[in-house]
């Protein structure tokens, strides 16, 4: 093999010999066979596959690797790895005109198995089967720390490097020259006699060409929906370095963002549909903790009442929506996440999930909602609806109680929505074992925030009278100005009525008494059923019709979409209903296993 061939193959003038990180395959290899070697190399250390080396220098060769189309290779590898292995395939023309094919294969962050369950690995000379428990552990490998063998300093955009330096101006490394600055951050690694960027460097400061070549999946699709329907009115696909990406996404969201002023004494609090600190933290988490080995992209759906961020790769091992507040943080991409932290992006957008919870609760909103799947996670930030009385109460209470913690906010939020809650329900909201909640609840009792009623397992917690008054002044005023609806009968609460009307029965109005259509009046201006009555109605609908949908509960009880969703989700959490179907439009609820054992009311 000549040095001219090496120089033609690699812009760095280095051709790795066959060995632990390089596989030489003959010209006649099929895409399916090549895919087996790619998966085996990924299960070992990663590296490069070179196809067509056997005809190099042969003056009688009539064929070369140009007949192998890159799409054939990537498709075969996609099929064999189940879409979990992303490679970079390129043709290289030799001085004599012939072409070879190079396939850059990253080290897999976990063991890849073929569809038949077989696990193969490259031992430096052959593909060998890997038995359970054998080989080096690869579950904790950092994909963003990989250095592509054909990457160079030309893959970095000087303007984006300058943006990184501006973000990190408070750290000592910001005073160093560009190359030393990037090396200090761990983004440039000496390799093959030259400095080369890691995938993290390309994610943070790469050119468009470099992102397309090495990380085509590093893309965000933004959708704006004028209504809560699945149809969108605007879409923008973004493939940029992460700092530039965050800036553009903030512009898109902020252009459609609104705020409501809430007067608190002499001051005014602006409650935005989506607080910038919250959605920046959510976007930063999506970009820094997503699984970059998957070929999928991040989706951001902006609805009138919520923001949904869909992220490739489920929550890291051990973390679930039910323990995300308490579980020790796990970083899927340590190098990328560490650099973002050093640059201060994390400080600007919040320091974690607990900050998102705290900010949303302080603004009288629902906490962030996570839905976890094996290969994806969706974060929903509910936006426009909020409790202004809760905002005022928290703003005033913080001056009296500096120790008003996130846990206390969670308890107050649950009780302000539900009226009362047993300790088990509060423990689920706090994401704590039930035996770890008494101390917090006793402290809140001593501070005059909650009161306890009942004995034994019948103990439930309520807001303290003065807190309930502060949080319900506006609602109590509305109730005092409007006729009270008849409470449902016991038969209705037990779901035994043959049919449900869309409004409570009432005497015929007199001539001096105007008719108020209950089904069309907004919830905010006309009192409706209590929380316990709405839960009973939802269960009755499920019994009578076999299922209940969000739209059914909205129509019967004059609720908003978010209020109906909250009731149905609460019934699912306690086992009285179970959710079926998918999406927001097709989801419906049937009676759960616990519906025959207890009645909410």
């Amino acid at each position: 093999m000549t040095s001219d061939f090496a120089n033609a193959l690699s812009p760095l003038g280095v051709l790795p010999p066959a060995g632990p990180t390089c596989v030489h395959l003959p010209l006649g290899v099929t895409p399916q066979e090549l895919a087996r070697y790619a998966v085996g190399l990924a299960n070992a250390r990663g590296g490069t596959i070179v196809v067509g080396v056997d005809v190099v220098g042969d003056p009688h060769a009539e064929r070369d690797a140009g007949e192998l189309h890159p799409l054939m290779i990537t498709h075969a590898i996609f099929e064999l790895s189940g879409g979990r292995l992303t490679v970079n395939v390129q043709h290289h023309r030799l001085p004599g005109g012939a072409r070879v094919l190079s396939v850059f294969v990253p080290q897999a962050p976990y063991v890849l198995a073929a569809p038949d369950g077989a696990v193969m690995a490259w031992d430096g000379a052959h593909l060998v089967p890997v038995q359970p428990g054998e080989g080096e552990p690869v579950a904790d490998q950092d994909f963003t720390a990989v250095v592509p063998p054909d990457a160079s300093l030309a893959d970095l955009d000087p303007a984006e490097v300058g943006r990184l330096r501006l973000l990190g101006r408070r750290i000592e490394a910001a005073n160093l020259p560009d190359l030393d600055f990037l090396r200090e951050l761990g983004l440039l690694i000496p390799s093959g006699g030259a400095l080369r960027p890691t995938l993290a460097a390309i994610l943070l400061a790469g050119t468009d060409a470099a992102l397309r070549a090495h990380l085509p999946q590093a893309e965000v699709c933004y959708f704006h929906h004028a209504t809560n329907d699945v149809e969108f009115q605007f879409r923008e696909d973004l493939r940029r370095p992460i700092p530039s990406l965050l800036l553009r996404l903030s512009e898109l969201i902020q252009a459609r963002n609104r705020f409501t002023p809430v007067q608190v004494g002499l001051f005014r609090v602006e409650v935005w549909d989506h607080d910038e600190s919250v959605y920046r933290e959510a976007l930063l988490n999506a970009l820094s903790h997503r699984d970059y080995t998957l070929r999928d992209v991040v989706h951001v759906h902006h609805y009138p009442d919520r923001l949904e961020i869909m992220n490739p790769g489920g929550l890291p091992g051990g973390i679930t929506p039910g323990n995300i507040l308490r579980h020790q943080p796990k970083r899927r991409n340590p190098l990328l996440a560490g650099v973002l932290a050093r640059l201060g992006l994390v400080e600007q957008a919040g320091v974690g999930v607990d900050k998102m919870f705290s900010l949303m609760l302080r603004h009288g909103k629902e906490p962030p909602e996570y839905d976890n799947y094996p290969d994806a996670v969706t974060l929903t930030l509910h936006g426009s609806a909020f409790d202004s009385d809760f905002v005022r109460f928290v703003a005033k209470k913080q001056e009296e109680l500096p120790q008003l913690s996130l846990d206390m906010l969670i308890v107050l939020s649950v009780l302000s929505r539900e009226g009362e809650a047993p300790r088990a329900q509060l423990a689920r909201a706090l994401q704590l074992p039930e035996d770890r909640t008494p101390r917090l609840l006793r402290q809140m009792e001593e501070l005059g925030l909650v009161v306890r009623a009942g004995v034994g397992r019948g103990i439930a917690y309520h807001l303290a009278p003065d807190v309930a008054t502060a949080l319900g002044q506006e609602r109590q005023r509305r109730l005092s100005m409007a006729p009270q609806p008849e409470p449902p009968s016991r038969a209705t609460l037990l779901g035994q009525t043959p049919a449900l009307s869309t409004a409570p029965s009432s005497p015929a109005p007199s001539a001096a008494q105007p008719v108020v259509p209950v089904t069309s009046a907004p919830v905010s201006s006309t009192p409706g059923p209590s929380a316990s009555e709405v839960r009973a109605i939802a269960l009755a609908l499920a019994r009578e019709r076999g299922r209940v949908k969000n739209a059914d509960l909205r129509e019967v009880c004059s609720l908003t979409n978010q209020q109906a969703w909250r009731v149905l989700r609460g019934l699912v959490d306690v086992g009285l209903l179970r959710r079926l179907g998918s999406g927001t439009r097709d989801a419906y609820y049937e009676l759960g296993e616990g519906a025959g054992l207890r009645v909410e009311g």
Side-chain angles (χ1 to χ4, degrees), residues 164-313:
L164 292 182
R165 182 185 293 281
L166 183 63
L167 289 171
R169 59 187 179 275
R170 293 183 179 86
I171 62 176
E172 293 183 6
N175 299 319
L176 300 173
D178 283 350
L179 293 184
D180 293 332
F181 170 68
L182 295 174
R183 286 189 67 176
E184 178 65 22
L185 292 176
L187 299 177
L188 293 182
I189 303 295
S191 178
L195 285 175
R196 292 198 243 173
T198 61
L199 290 177
I202 295 173
L203 284 168
L204 291 168
T207 63
D208 181 68
L211 286 167
R212 290 180 181 276
H214 300 292
L215 291 156
Q217 68 273 37
E219 183 178 358
V220 177
C221 299
Y222 171 87
F223 303 86
H224 180 255
H225 304 254
T227 67
N228 287 322
D229 201 358
V230 294
E231 298 295 332
F232 59 88
Q233 282 65 46
F234 175 81
R235 170 177 179 168
E236 185 168 331
D237 298 337
L238 303 166
R239 184 184 290 112
R240 304 181 180 188
I242 287 177
S244 177
L245 197 56
L246 280 172
L247 179 61
R248 179 54 183 161
L249 286 170
S250 294
E251 292 173 349
L252 290 170
I253 295 172
Q254 205 63 21
R256 298 161 176 83
N257 211 357
R258 301 167 302 175
F259 74 87
T260 302
V262 177
Q263 196 69 32
V264 182
L266 299 176
F267 301 96
R268 190 179 74 166
V269 177
E270 294 181 352
V271 180
W272 290 84
D273 286 355
H274 300 289
D275 188 281
E276 186 175 9
S277 296
V278 174
Y279 70 69
R280 279 180 62 88
E281 176 69 25
L283 292 170
L284 188 64
N285 284 342
L287 296 171
S288 61
H289 299 303
R290 63 150 291 179
D291 188 345
Y292 282 100
T293 66
L294 298 178
R295 302 170 69 91
D296 304 313
V297 303
V298 175
H299 285 185
V300 178
H301 290 268
H302 191 171
Y303 294 94
D305 63 345
R306 68 191 187 278
L307 200 65
E308 291 183 356
I309 302 173
M310 303 177 180
N311 200 35

Side-chain angles (χ1 to χ4, degrees), residues 321-345:
N323 68 12
I324 194 168
L325 272 174
R326 308 295 172 181
H327 200 287
Q328 179 180 355
K330 284 193 174 183
R331 299 185 297 179
R332 179 175 274 122
N333 306 302
L335 175 59
L336 178 62
V339 172
L340 288 171
R342 290 189 64 184
L343 293 176
L345 277 173

Side-chain angles (χ1 to χ4, degrees), residues 531-582:
S532 60
E533 291 166 357
V534 172
R535 291 195 292 269
I537 290 172
L539 292 173
L541 284 169
R543 287 193 184 94
E544 178 187 326
R545 304 177 182 178
R547 63 175 62 181
V548 60
K549 300 185 72 172
N550 184 293
D552 300 331
L553 203 58
R554 296 202 308 268
E555 179 183 0
V556 172
C557 300
S558 298
L559 303 177
T560 66
N561 178 70
Q562 185 177 347
Q563 289 170 328
W565 169 87
R566 189 165 60 223
V567 171
L568 294 169
R569 183 177 178 87
L571 291 172
V572 170
D573 290 342
V574 297
L576 296 179
L577 292 179
R578 59 192 181 99
R579 175 173 170 165
L580 300 171
S582 59

